[in-house]
Amino acid sequence: MYTPEKEKQLIALTDKMMALDKFKVSSLDYFADSLIEVLNFHEWKYYVQSKPIITDFEYDQLFQKLKDLEESNLVAIRPDSPTQRVSEGLNDDFPTVPHLVPMMSLENSYNAEDLKAFDKKVREALTDDAEVKYAVELKYDGSSISLIYENDVLVRAATRGNGVEGDDITNNAKTIKTVPLKAGFSKHGISKIELRGEVLIELEAFRQLNEQREAQNEILREEGKKELELYKHSRNTAAGALRLKDPKEVAQRNLEAVIYQIGYAEDKDGNELRTSIIDSQHGNMEFLSSLGFKSPKGETGLFATIEEVVDYCNYWEAKRDSYNYEIDGMVVKVDSKQQQELIGVTSHHPKWAIAFKFKAKQAITKLERIEYQVGRTGAITPVAKLDPVILTGVEISSVSLHNEEFISEKDIRIGDYVMVERAGDVIPYIVGPVKERRTGAEEVVVFPTECPSCSATLEKPEEESVWRCINPTCPAQMEERLIHFVSKGAMNIDGLGKDIIKRFIQEGIINSLLDIYNLDFERIEALEGWQKKSVEKLKRNVEASKQNENWRLLVALGVRHVGGTTAKMLVKNVKNLLEFEHWSEEKLAELEDVGPKVAHSIFDFFGNETNRAVIQTLADLGVNIESVEEVLTSNVLEGKTFLFTGTLTKFSRDKAKVLVEENGGKNISAVSSKLNYLVAGEKAGSKLTKAQKLGTVEIISEDDFLEMIGQN
């Protein structure tokens, strides 16, 4: 779209437009035309290339000059003016409009055999000596869109609808910055053209939308008002945005449009146009990209054999989670439009294209029953027991339902068929019930009023959404507390894993935290599977844990809202843990990164006589509760904050954090304005993307970090 020479001209023109006053130029029309050209160029640099060359403030200044000029009625408002992206009016409804050519569905394939069968059918439909090339593209998990341009200007945008006609969403589409309001089709003899694409939300932008909602929810919680539900899927959020009545709201969703195909084109006489750029799918994408559209041309392949196609599909399936958009497969198309016509279509799908579907992230299965688990803090978590279903190669049979409100808001019932997905291909999540499949036999969930472990009456604090068992002797809580106490992030006692803790509880060897330091090793050696050597190893590990830094004990004791980072900061302020008995909430809240909630939790914990007695007894048993004076290797990182992301090859993540602290720096857990350095290893993902967009974070390598502390 823009040659290097043209870019230089537009950069120079930008400076000129910044300096000129709109009411002191000789030609207002020239001034408006130049502003439009400059603004459209910078939108392309920012939204399509992701390489902005002016600041948001500078863009806003230019935009305001154009807006003022148009509102003064001194120049006519052009249809490709950036000011026309957001309409002032509301869309009361969305009239149905026909597509120039139908938007057909695709047949699906799920493995190499399916793709090879497709290849065989393609070749059978052509002559024996025909050379076939396949264009392979990403299958974006977004919302399909059709765009029509006449005489270079965007005149209509529509949803897919039923494939023959869709909803007119032109005003909303104009808010999408990757949809040019004007493009140079006429230079190529094209008078009218219909394009196909997908509207979606970049995953980091989607995360930021939810961050904004969560910030709103904090205010709503303080005001006692109903909270906003967080967005669950980028696809549904994009599709829903296209049908919002107010285009201004649409603009706030940060939608993007990836345009990947020419559906139809005609010349100035109304005849269907056939040229080399249109007669090749791969050529379509090259052409659209050259005109300034965001196309997937850099992430596509052109292959001569189906084996190469299979390899490319497998390659993308392996890296789908590191990509910055949701993709659920690949689309394989015969590249030649002439060959496409020879192969033909059915009433449902083209025979010359097929979708290769990645392993499912979503599936529908039956919710058989709900079990209630008791956590170490007494929190009661409902867990859905499902008819097992395979998602991304993993069998899913249990999914957390979080709390009573989650069940109620989604109207989940026992016996429902539910939509299940693996968020980030890791955590199973119930999207909601498939209400259309209800028979009437489903049971409304009645949340228990008693603890499933000890039968104590459950309580729910006003400020929380979770029911809790407050019985300190509850067996289920004790089991979870013991498992947490010995875990890697707490006392880190190797040899006392989850299964061993459970067995020792069943055998009556462990009944409380104190029992860990009073183990009957002779009795353990007599158990099946234990030998003298393994018992001696366990004994050494238990004894070694007594010498842990006291912040580990603070974490192990399970003080709510206190993790490793907070615990390390807290113990720097006392000589031993029991000193916190004398700290007020106000004094605690004055500490760095300790808010009212954390301060209240610490105050409550050390105000409890039983908790203090446990700490004292542990100390009597030899467990360290004293703070060690911090001895730094150096202070070269003093005042600097660090975060590590991606696969680290020079050191482990835990070792990296230790190195930061030993050299006076501070580790933080998320990319924000507080972060100074992001150390990016291999395959760095969303944290790297966010840091790049934030612009204030210095991104360095592992070698750079080691050089900073003098170890390279």
Side-chain angles (χ1 to χ4, degrees):
M1 181 182 185
Y2 297 102
T3 64
E5 185 58 35
K6 183 64 174 177
E7 289 199 31
K8 288 181 181 178
Q9 292 173 6
L10 287 169
I11 292 169
L13 185 58
T14 300
D15 294 334
K16 183 178 180 181
M17 291 297 104
M18 289 288 293
L20 288 176
D21 186 300
K22 55 185 173 296
F23 296 116
K24 294 181 180 179
V25 294
S26 58
S27 171
L28 291 178
D29 285 332
Y30 163 78
F31 186 71
D33 289 348
S34 297
L35 281 172
I36 289 170
E37 187 177 18
V38 162
L39 287 167
N40 283 333
F41 166 68
H42 288 295
E43 285 186 354
W44 176 76
K45 291 294 291 184
Y46 187 94
Y47 293 104
V48 176
Q49 286 204 320
S50 298
K51 295 179 179 178
I53 54 177
I54 61 172
T55 65
D56 290 349
F57 175 74
E58 289 170 329
Y59 176 92
D60 290 341
Q61 283 186 305
L62 292 169
F63 185 94
Q64 191 61 46
K65 287 185 178 184
L66 177 61
K67 189 175 180 181
D68 290 347
L69 198 58
E70 291 175 345
E71 289 179 350
S72 68
N73 296 317
L74 294 173
V75 298
I77 299 176
R78 284 175 29 176
D80 63 325
S81 169
T83 63
Q84 300 309 293
R85 285 196 179 277
V86 180
S87 169
E88 294 297 327
L90 297 181
N91 298 318
D92 292 329
D93 53 27
F94 295 90
T96 301
V97 291
H99 301 304
L100 299 185
V101 293
M103 296 179 71
M104 306 186 80
S105 300
L106 291 175
E107 190 176 20
N108 291 328
S109 65
Y110 300 91
N111 50 50
E113 287 67 34
D114 290 344
L115 288 176
K116 289 174 182 177
F118 164 72
D119 177 60
K120 183 179 179 181
K121 290 179 181 177
V122 165
R123 295 182 185 280
E124 287 174 349
L126 301 172
T127 58
D128 292 338
D129 59 347
E131 181 182 337
V132 180
K133 287 187 178 180
Y134 291 111
V136 186
E137 312 159 15
L138 303 180
K139 186 176 182 297
Y140 293 97
D141 194 11
S143 184
S144 297
I145 191 173
S146 164
L147 303 174
I148 296 178
Y149 288 79
E150 292 184 11
N151 300 318
D152 293 347
V153 176
L154 175 67
V155 295
R156 195 172 77 198
T159 63
R160 181 184 182 280
N162 61 12
V164 177
E165 55 187 14
D167 291 336
D168 187 332
I169 54 166
T170 307
N171 283 343
N172 286 349
K174 285 181 177 180
T175 71
I176 303 172
K177 300 294 177 63
T178 54
V179 174
L181 300 179
K182 185 176 181 180
F185 294 110
S186 58
K187 295 178 182 177
H188 302 273
I190 300 171
S191 177
K192 185 175 184 179
I193 191 167
E194 184 176 40
L195 309 178
R196 300 288 157 76
E198 203 82 3
V199 174
L200 31 81
I201 300 177
E202 194 257 346
L203 292 179
E204 179 60 23
F206 179 68
R207 188 193 63 75
Q208 290 174 6
L209 281 177
N210 272 334
E211 275 190 356
Q212 292 166 9
R213 286 218 145 191
E214 187 53 46
Q216 290 175 277
N217 282 340
E218 288 184 14
I219 298 172
L220 293 173
R221 279 194 289 268
E222 291 177 2
E223 297 175 348
K225 297 179 181 178
K226 183 177 175 61
E227 295 179 29
L228 300 170
E229 187 174 348
L230 297 183
Y231 299 117
K232 296 298 189 303
H233 307 282
S234 60
R235 178 193 65 244
N236 293 350
T237 305
L242 289 177
R243 294 190 55 78
L244 290 172
K245 289 187 175 182
D246 187 350
K248 286 185 176 180
E249 286 188 47
V250 182
Q252 294 173 1
R253 294 286 180 92
N254 295 321
L255 300 181
E256 296 183 30
V258 177
I259 308 301
Y260 49 75
Q261 187 170 345
I262 298 172
Y264 174 82
E266 63 182 43
D267 61 21
K268 59 183 176 58
D269 297 320
N271 301 314
E272 184 176 357
L273 189 64
R274 303 297 299 269
T275 68
S276 59
I277 57 175
I278 294 175
D279 279 351
S280 156
Q281 173 57 23
H282 204 254
N284 275 195
M285 289 182 286
E286 294 281 351
F287 175 60
L288 292 170
S289 179
S290 73
L291 291 180
F293 289 88
K294 189 180 183 75
S295 89
K297 76 159 193 166
E299 291 146 339
T300 60
L302 187 62
F303 304 103
T305 70
I306 201 65
E307 287 76 19
E308 291 174 310
V309 171
V310 170
D311 288 343
Y312 195 62
C313 290
N314 290 336
Y315 163 78
W316 270 102
E317 181 163 22
K319 68 174 290 185
R320 69 191 289 200
D321 292 330
S322 63
Y323 191 55
N324 54 342
Y325 297 94
E326 283 283 2
I327 52 175
D328 59 1
M330 306 294 287
V331 178
V332 182
K333 301 173 182 175
V334 171
D335 187 54
S336 164
K337 291 296 179 74
Q338 185 178 2
Q339 288 182 334
Q340 290 178 10
E341 291 176 356
L342 290 172
I343 297 166
V345 300
T346 69
S347 59
H348 174 261
H349 64 267
K351 295 179 182 179
W352 43 265
I354 194 168
F356 175 82
K357 300 284 284 185
F358 294 154
K359 293 183 181 68
K361 282 188 173 183
Q362 287 190 334
I364 294 175
T365 189
K366 193 170 186 180
L367 194 162
E368 303 284 1
R369 66 185 189 281
I370 295 177
E371 295 181 358
Y372 297 88
Q373 296 180 351
V374 186
R376 62 183 173 85
T377 63
I380 308 299
T381 302
V383 178
K385 295 297 179 178
L386 309 173
D387 185 11
V389 63
I390 302 294
L391 279 179
T392 57
V394 177
E395 182 177 276
I396 307 296
S397 59
S398 295
V399 180
S400 172
L401 291 171
H402 305 292
N403 53 52
E404 184 183 27
E405 289 180 10
F406 181 88
I407 296 171
S408 176
E409 287 177 0
K410 291 188 176 291
D411 188 21
I412 295 171
R413 304 180 185 182
I414 297 171
D416 264 336
Y417 281 91
V418 292
M419 175 71 76
V420 185
E421 73 172 21
R422 293 189 71 204
D425 276 356
V426 178
I427 304 169
Y429 174 84
I430 291 183
V431 178
V434 184
K435 295 182 179 180
E436 294 80 3
R437 295 186 66 171
R438 283 182 175 166
T439 64
E442 295 77 18
E443 301 175 30
V444 174
V445 177
V446 179
F447 211 85
T449 57
E450 295 182 347
C451 174
S453 175
C454 68
S455 299
T457 301
L458 301 179
E459 294 187 6
K460 185 167 79 168
E462 286 186 12
E463 71 278 6
E464 295 187 10
S465 59
V466 176
W467 286 93
R468 294 184 186 277
C469 170
I470 60 170
N471 176 15
T473 62
C474 174
Q477 289 184 59
M478 179 53 67
E479 180 177 289
E480 291 298 322
R481 284 200 291 269
L482 286 164
I483 291 169
H484 170 73
F485 188 91
V486 301
S487 65
K488 184 178 180 181
M491 294 302 282
N492 192 24
I493 304 178
D494 189 24
L496 274 183
K498 180 177 181 179
D499 292 337
I500 292 175
I501 286 289
K502 287 185 174 183
R503 185 180 181 189
F504 283 3
I505 291 172
Q506 290 171 356
E507 297 286 349
I509 294 173
I510 291 180
N511 295 298
S512 71
L513 297 180
L514 300 177
D515 290 338
I516 291 173
Y517 293 100
N518 284 303
L519 290 174
D520 187 339
F521 291 106
E522 289 185 7
R523 186 176 173 189
I524 293 172
E525 190 175 340
L527 295 176
E528 183 180 352
W530 285 85
Q531 298 176 351
K532 187 175 184 64
K533 188 175 181 180
S534 55
V535 171
E536 286 298 323
K537 182 179 179 181
L538 175 60
K539 189 175 183 178
R540 288 195 303 271
N541 292 339
V542 171
E543 195 64 25
S545 73
K546 293 179 180 180
Q547 306 308 314
N548 283 339
E549 294 175 271
N550 63 348
W551 68 263
R552 284 189 171 275
L553 179 58
L554 190 56
V555 173
L557 290 169
V559 184
R560 290 185 66 195
H561 310 305
V562 175
T565 301
T566 302
K568 289 176 184 178
M569 179 277 299
L570 286 168
V571 300
K572 291 178 182 179
N573 295 277
V574 293
K575 291 182 179 179
N576 70 66
L577 296 183
L578 289 174
E579 285 186 21
F580 283 119
E581 175 189 354
H582 307 294
W583 283 53
S584 66
E585 282 191 58
E586 292 74 19
K587 186 176 179 180
L588 286 163
E590 290 174 359
L591 295 176
E592 184 182 12
D593 296 332
V594 173
K597 185 184 292 186
V598 179
H600 180 71
S601 176
I602 299 167
F603 179 78
D604 271 2
F605 183 89
F606 284 95
N608 183 291
E609 186 178 349
T610 301
N611 292 336
R612 296 197 305 273
V614 167
I615 295 173
Q616 184 59 63
T617 304
L618 286 169
D620 294 341
L621 289 167
V623 178
N624 176 49
I625 68 168
E626 304 292 326
S627 297
V628 180
E629 186 176 350
E630 189 175 36
V631 179
L632 299 179
T633 303
S634 77
N635 62 354
V636 294
L637 303 184
E638 186 176 358
K640 299 180 175 66
T641 56
F642 291 81
L643 176 61
F644 296 81
T645 188
T647 303
L648 304 178
T649 59
K650 304 286 185 179
F651 36 66
S652 68
R653 201 171 298 273
D654 288 340
K655 177 62 177 175
K657 292 179 179 179
V658 170
L659 289 171
V660 169
E661 292 170 1
E662 286 180 345
N663 288 276
K666 181 181 178 182
N667 295 291
I668 62 177
S669 59
V671 175
S672 71
S673 58
K674 296 180 180 180
L675 180 62
N676 299 130
Y677 295 94
L678 180 73
V679 184
E682 296 176 3
K683 300 179 181 178
S686 60
K687 287 186 176 69
L688 175 59
T689 303
K690 183 178 180 182
Q692 290 169 332
K693 288 189 174 180
L694 196 59
T696 58
V697 179
E698 187 169 344
I699 299 163
I700 62 175
S701 68
E702 293 173 78
D703 287 332
D704 293 333
F705 172 72
L706 290 172
E707 188 172 342
M708 289 177 74
I709 60 175
Q711 292 192 20
N712 196 5

